[in-house]
């Protein structure tokens, strides 16, 4: 693991760690925290980081790498007060054909990877007696999706995780919430064939996909002081697609 990118952050503001800030939704979230004056770090695997983000390389599938990356971030910026567990993957396959590997890899990154991060982050948050944990789930976690048994299971698991953390650490000034985006314009959705995109859009009450910044807005709100009494919640950012979660 090497630390590859350290840029100047604000001297003030909270220490925020967003996993996978090199692209997509994670990047938009990190940029929004930087813009509001927080000191932002990321654990990431590859690519370039937005300006002002302190990056430490690490893979979500390794507890050792996650723990070491947190230690680097704490050394450079101080204890992590806000964790956004964003890194995630899909490996879609029909149930009958889904291999153990395809199932386990998605769980390992999306669910166990988030667990590795929240476990490590909780130590500092308990000492600080405050903290904000935001997990990026998906509308698919509660709505389901054909060919997405692995992904949906991993994303639904985050709800139980956030609610258990809320019960365990809610009395220590720590909140844990889940953001469930619908279809967002990123590399993940760009891969969908055009007619599939059209079909999806016709089922979304808002009639469009969202921009990553619209997810970032919900995340920074949940991480704010004003959201101190919101915990264990699932906040959809899906244009009304999954109403009734
Ligand atoms: P992208 O595929 O654009 O980015 C995924 C990010 O996760 C990348 O930074 C990637 O790193 C990182 N990542 C993947 N595997 C690992 C790993 N093993 N260790 C460390 N980092 C890893 O995805 P999005 O921005 O679209 O999605 C972000 C989150 O939002 C995901 O959790 C996704 O499930 C969720 N989401 C996305 C939706 C969408 O429509 N796009 C809808 C609902 C939820 P690298 O660049 O190195 O691959």
């Amino acid at each position: 693991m090497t630390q590859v990118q350290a840029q100047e952050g604000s001297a003030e503001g909270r220490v925020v760690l967003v996993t996978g800030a090199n692209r997509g939704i994670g990047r938009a979230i990190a940029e929004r925290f930087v813009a509001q004056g927080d000191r932002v770090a990321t654990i990431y695997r590859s690519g370039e980081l937005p300006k002002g983000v302190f990056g430490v390389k690490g893979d979500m599938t390794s507890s050792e790498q996650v723990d070491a990356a947190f230690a680097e971030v704490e050394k450079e910026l101080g204890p992590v007060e806000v964790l956004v567990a964003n890194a995630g993957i899909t490996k879609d396959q029909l149930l009958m054909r889904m291999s153990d590997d395809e199932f386990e890899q998605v769980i390992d990154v999306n669910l166990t990877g988030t667990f590795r991060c929240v476990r490590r982050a909780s130590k500092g948050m308990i000492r600080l007696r405050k903290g904000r944990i935001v997990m990026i789930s998906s509308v698919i976690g509660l709505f389901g999706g054909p060919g997405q048994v692995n992904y949906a299971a991993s994303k639904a698991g985050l709800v139980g995780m956030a609610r258990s953390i809320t019960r365990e650490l809610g009395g220590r000034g720590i909140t844990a919430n889940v953001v469930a985006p619908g279809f967002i314009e990123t590399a993940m959705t760009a891969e969908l064939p055009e007619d599939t995109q059209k079909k999806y859009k016709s089922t979304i009450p808002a009639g469009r996909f969202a921009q990553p910044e619209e997810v970032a807005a919900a995340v920074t709100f949940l991480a704010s002081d004003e959201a101190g009494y919101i915990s264990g919640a699932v906040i959809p950012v899906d244009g009304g697609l999954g109403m009734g979660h």
Side-chain angles (χ1 to χ4, degrees):
M1 193 193 64
T2 48
Q3 169 192 316
V4 299
Q5 216 169 343
Q7 289 169 353
E8 232 180 292
S10 161
E12 292 162 46
R14 300 158 308 167
V15 178
V16 176
L17 194 150
V18 182
T19 63
N22 57 304
R23 62 188 168 106
I25 295 171
R27 188 178 184 94
I29 293 170
E31 284 173 340
R32 195 174 166 102
F33 278 113
V34 170
Q36 66 182 30
D38 288 309
R39 286 173 290 155
V40 184
T42 187
I43 306 174
Y44 74 121
R45 274 194 318 190
S46 63
E48 293 295 314
L49 297 179
K51 199 167 181 298
V53 175
F54 175 73
V56 183
K57 285 253 173 112
D59 199 296
M60 289 301 122
T61 61
S62 160
S63 295
E64 229 172 43
Q65 288 186 28
V66 167
D67 289 351
F70 263 86
E72 287 267 349
V73 169
E74 287 168 347
K75 202 171 114 208
E76 185 69 22
L77 303 177
V80 173
E81 193 179 327
V82 178
L83 169 69
V84 183
N86 161 79
I89 56 168
T90 52
K91 280 197 190 299
D92 294 359
Q93 181 59 274
L94 294 175
L95 174 61
M96 263 172 43
R97 294 197 196 133
M98 189 175 285
S99 66
D100 286 10
D101 246 20
E102 283 166 335
F103 188 84
E104 283 162 8
Q105 279 176 29
V106 171
I107 298 290
D108 198 17
V109 177
N110 298 3
L111 185 60
T112 319
T114 298
F115 159 70
R116 291 180 178 105
C117 290
V118 294
R119 178 178 57 187
R120 183 57 180 76
S122 70
K123 290 186 191 170
M125 290 178 181
I126 289 167
R127 268 198 298 271
L128 283 175
R129 295 199 64 81
K130 59 181 173 182
R132 294 278 185 270
I133 296 167
V134 182
M135 304 175 190
I136 308 300
S137 175
S138 167
V139 65
I140 299 299
L142 295 153
F143 201 67
Q148 296 198 292
V149 160
N150 49 2
Y151 184 73
S154 73
K155 294 300 192 181
L158 297 178
V159 178
M161 196 185 289
R163 291 181 173 168
S164 298
I165 292 168
T166 294
R167 294 197 186 279
E168 200 172 313
L169 301 178
R172 297 169 184 254
I174 298 168
T175 66
N177 290 290
V178 169
V179 169
F183 290 98
I184 315 297
E185 280 184 15
T186 66
M188 217 178 239
T189 44
E191 278 172 25
L192 297 169
E194 206 171 308
D195 54 332
T196 312
Q197 291 198 25
K198 239 187 212 159
K199 205 175 80 195
Y200 286 160
K201 280 177 191 164
S202 72
T203 66
I204 301 167
R208 62 174 179 89
F209 291 170
Q211 294 303 311
E213 291 72 22
E214 296 181 282
V215 179
V219 172
T220 49
F221 170 66
L222 287 172
S224 69
D225 284 347
E226 287 87 343
Y229 206 58
I230 302 174
S231 198
V234 180
I235 309 292
V237 183
D238 64 2
L241 177 62
M243 288 186 289
H245 283 350

